[in-house]
Each structure stands twice: as C-alpha cells, then as structure tokens.
Amino acid sequence: MTNTLNNLTVLGAGVLGGQIAWHSAFKGKRVVVYDLFEESLQRCQMAHQQYAAIYRAEMGASEAMISETQARLSYSCSLADAVTNADLVIEAVPEIPETKVAVYQEMAALLPAHTLVATNSSTLLPAQFASATGRPDKYCALHFANMIWSMNLAEVMAHAGTAESTLRAVTRFAIEIGMVPIPIQKEQNGYVLNTWLVPLLNATQSLVTNGVSTPEYIDRTYMIANRGCALGPCGIMDIIGMKTCFDVMTYWGTENQDAQLLANATYIKQHFIDQGKLGLQTGEGYYCYPNPAYQAADFLAVPDMSAVEELVALVRPQALAAVS
Ligand code: NAD
C-alpha cells in the first residue's frame, strides 16, 4: 500500500503542534506549521532546534537526517497558503472550544476536497467540532502525548459521522510516523490518557492552591510511591505547559461549576502565566530548567538531620517563628 497522507499541515505552533510537526517531518512527511502569530512560529522554530539536539542524542539521528527533516518543514501565518496542499490537517490550537470552532470554520472554505482533518484536543470531543469543519466524514481525533518521540502513542477517536476510510487513513498515518495507535471505542472526554492524567493534575494543583503541601514534596511523594518515575505531577505540568493547564482547568471548572478547579486556574494564572513562566517552554514553571530539582541525584534521598528544622517549619511555620 502506498502512503496517501504525505502532506501534513499542523494548526497551532505551540508545545504539541511543534512536536507533531517536527516528528512527522523526521518520519518523512512534508509539513507546514500554521499559527496566527508570527512570534509563535518563531518560538516553534527555536523549539525545533532543541528537538534536533534531542533527536541526535536520543534517537541516533544523523546530521543528514536532521537536515532532511528541516528541509521538509515550512512555517506560515497564512491559513490559505498553509492548507493548500494538505492531505491531512492536525489541529493543535488552544483547548478553548471557541478558538477551535473559529479556525475550523475559516479553514472549511480553503481546504482541498480530499483533505482529512484531525483534532489533537486533550479533553474535548470530535462531535463538538465535526460540523464546523464542513466535512464531518473526514474528521476524527488523533491525540498525541507530550514528548512524542518517547511517548509514542496516538489515541484515535471517531464521532458518529466519521467515515471508516478516514479512520483507516489516519491510523495508517499514525503507524507510519512510529506511533502506537490507541483505539478509543466510544467518545469520552479525556480519551484514555487524560481520563486519569487530568484528575491527577487537578488533585495535585488543589494541594498546592490550598497550601496543603509544596510542589517538591508532592512530587517526592509521587515518585517514591511510583518507584522508577522520572518526575512527578508538578513536573508534568511544566512539560504540558501552564497555558494548556490553565485552559483545561478554566474550561472544565466553568462547565462543571467547580469552584476548586477555577481556584486552581486562577492560581496558575497569577503564579505562572502572568509572570511569563509557562513551564519547560520558557525555562521556568514549578521548576527551573534545564536542571530541575527533581533530576538531582538526592531528590528522593532520606534527608540529613540538619533538615529537621526546615521540615518542621513547613508543617507549622507560625509555631517555629514564635520560638526563634
Ligand atoms: P499552546 O498554548 O502551547 O499552543 C497553542 C498555539 O496555538 C500557540 O502557538 C498559539 O499562538 C496558537 N493559536 C492560538 N490561537 C490560534 C488561532 N486562532 N489560530 C491558529 N493558531 C492559534 O498549546 P498546546 O499545549 O500545544 O495545546 C494545543 C492543543 O493540543 C490543545 O488542544 C491541547 O489540549 C492539546 N494537547 C496538549 C498537550 C500538552 O502536553 N501540551 C498534549 C496533548 C494534547
């Protein structure tokens, strides 16, 4: 069988759009990255330089493979130009329904007749957007995980009107770029991955927002309880990016009238987004990069006795201040 989806357009040059674009180009696809903002495209190109280094180090990529990957990538702020040759469009714009609908509606009139469209949404359903695409039979979800080069899964979710031929082509595409397709048998917000990850991150953020524990001790707990984990949930939030964490908590907090979720979103806005700390992407979130504390050799070590006062101060700061 010959490959049919060779020309990919990625909508949204952020954390995940940038990864999907780079990885697909590395696997031989011709890719156009589209974003509304020139500065987002520039940030994406800088991220692609970092991915080149990662693919050299972790994927054994040669200089020739990196140059070929770069040659297959282009970047555009024009939606019409970006989709003109697309066989497949993967949408990775923010997790805000109105934004996704607006992009789909603008794109509908510009797409070639044969083009398939997939959403990379983490928590929203293809049924929510199928009609906005103007081609519901050619539309489904194809959800990738952050750090696509090592977390190589792609969740495939249909809505009632998705054609089988679309699912077949999109599943083939996922395999061609080295993903393990995860078939989702019915529409569910969060698919498989985010059905457990989002509640974990919400619970973690509640612990921080409500002052129950600190990010580092929460992550220590998680990493000790799940021996072998390279990081904990606060580290995961940095990798996802604070903007997307905020969007997901705001949407679901509003939808479910969940005051704790909305407080968590406000915490993230005030402590991170308003200060330009978007997580790994900008070098700082809960941790500072490139050497986050959770990667230190002694992060999970039993502390020295000299740490006792500091630990007690975290449990009962007022009492300790009164004594000293
Ligand atoms: P992001 O905020 O990092 O990037 C979004 C990009 O979209 C930005 O570059 C922004 O400039 C651009 N954008 C905003 N409005 C736009 C518009 N109207 N038209 C075109 N571009 C526009 O977000 P992200 O983390 O990459 O998430 C994107 C999607 O991928 C979301 O649906 C999210 O749920 C999903 N996703 C994210 C992760 C993750 O770990 N970050 C993982 C899987 C799926």
Side-chain angles (χ1 to χ4, degrees):
M1 254 186 181
T2 52
N3 299 342
T4 51
L5 304 181
N6 291 321
N7 294 304
L8 171 69
T9 298
V10 177
L11 308 180
V15 174
L16 246 287
Q19 290 186 17
I20 295 165
W22 173 268
H23 187 78
S24 301
F26 181 73
K27 291 290 184 177
K29 304 296 179 184
R30 281 182 296 278
V31 184
V32 185
V33 189
Y34 163 76
D35 202 287
L36 196 54
F37 306 104
E38 183 61 44
E39 73 178 59
S40 296
L41 288 179
Q42 284 168 8
R43 206 164 34 213
C44 179
Q45 285 170 274
M46 278 159 54
H48 285 175
Q49 286 171 21
Q50 291 166 359
Y51 298 153
I54 292 171
Y55 278 54
R56 279 187 200 102
E58 296 183 20
M59 312 272 289
S62 64
E63 286 314 310
M65 290 160 88
I66 296 295
S67 313
E68 286 161 15
T69 303
Q70 289 162 338
R72 285 192 280 266
L73 277 160
S74 59
Y75 306 82
S76 176
C77 268
S78 158
L79 186 55
D81 290 349
V83 301
T84 188
N85 286 321
D87 300 318
L88 173 65
V89 173
I90 297 179
E91 170 273 305
V93 303
E95 192 78 338
I96 303 170
E98 298 75 25
T99 304
K100 291 187 188 292
V101 167
V103 175
Y104 287 137
Q105 286 177 339
E106 187 185 346
M107 183 172 69
L110 305 170
L111 279 182
H114 74 284
T115 310
L116 305 183
V117 181
T119 180
N120 180 53
S121 170
S122 305
T123 63
L124 306 170
L125 302 179
Q128 266 174 274
F129 306 109
S131 67
T133 66
R135 53 185 68 213
D137 57 319
K138 294 189 171 64
Y139 179 64
C140 67
L142 185 65
H143 174 249
F144 296 89
N146 205 315
M147 298 195 161
I148 190 170
W149 55 93
S150 64
M151 298 215 215
N152 61 326
L153 58 87
E155 295 179 277
V156 181
M157 187 197 276
H159 67 94
T162 307
E164 259 178 51
S165 55
T166 300
L167 294 175
R168 200 166 290 119
V170 164
T171 302
R172 283 179 52 80
F173 174 86
I175 293 171
E176 281 164 10
I177 64 164
M179 298 294 116
V180 176
I182 308 292
I184 308 296
Q185 292 170 248
K186 57 163 85 167
E187 282 192 283
Q188 168 165 304
N189 299 103
Y191 312 7
V192 171
L193 180 62
N194 284 310
T195 291
W196 71 65
L197 185 57
V198 170
L200 169 69
L201 300 184
N202 287 338
T204 298
Q205 184 55 49
S206 299
L207 290 170
V208 177
T209 305
N210 298 339
V212 177
S213 188
T214 68
E216 293 198 1
Y217 281 103
I218 294 166
D219 280 0
R220 279 194 183 96
T221 309
Y222 186 88
M223 291 165 75
I224 291 172
N226 298 279
R227 275 285 173 193
C229 281
L231 75 176
C234 293
I236 293 174
M237 278 195 258
D238 281 353
I239 289 171
I240 290 171
M242 291 303 176
K243 174 69 171 51
T244 291
C245 293
F246 171 80
D247 288 341
V248 169
M249 289 174 189
T250 302
Y251 177 78
W252 289 105
T254 307
E255 189 74 7
N256 298 336
Q257 297 188 5
D258 183 327
Q260 179 68 61
L261 259 185
L262 292 173
N264 289 349
T266 301
Y267 184 101
I268 287 180
K269 180 171 186 310
Q270 290 174 348
H271 289 78
F272 297 106
I273 295 173
D274 289 351
Q275 298 180 39
K277 299 176 184 175
L278 301 185
L280 177 62
Q281 196 185 11
T282 54
E284 190 172 355
Y286 273 119
Y287 296 92
C288 291
Y289 298 85
N291 298 308
Y294 58 77
Q295 285 178 355
D298 62 351
F299 189 65
L300 302 182
V302 176
D304 188 84
M305 283 301 170
S306 62
V308 168
E309 291 306 307
E310 190 188 319
L311 288 161
V312 173
L314 281 171
V315 179
R316 186 151 294 160
Q318 313 86 335
L320 213 78
V323 173
S324 56

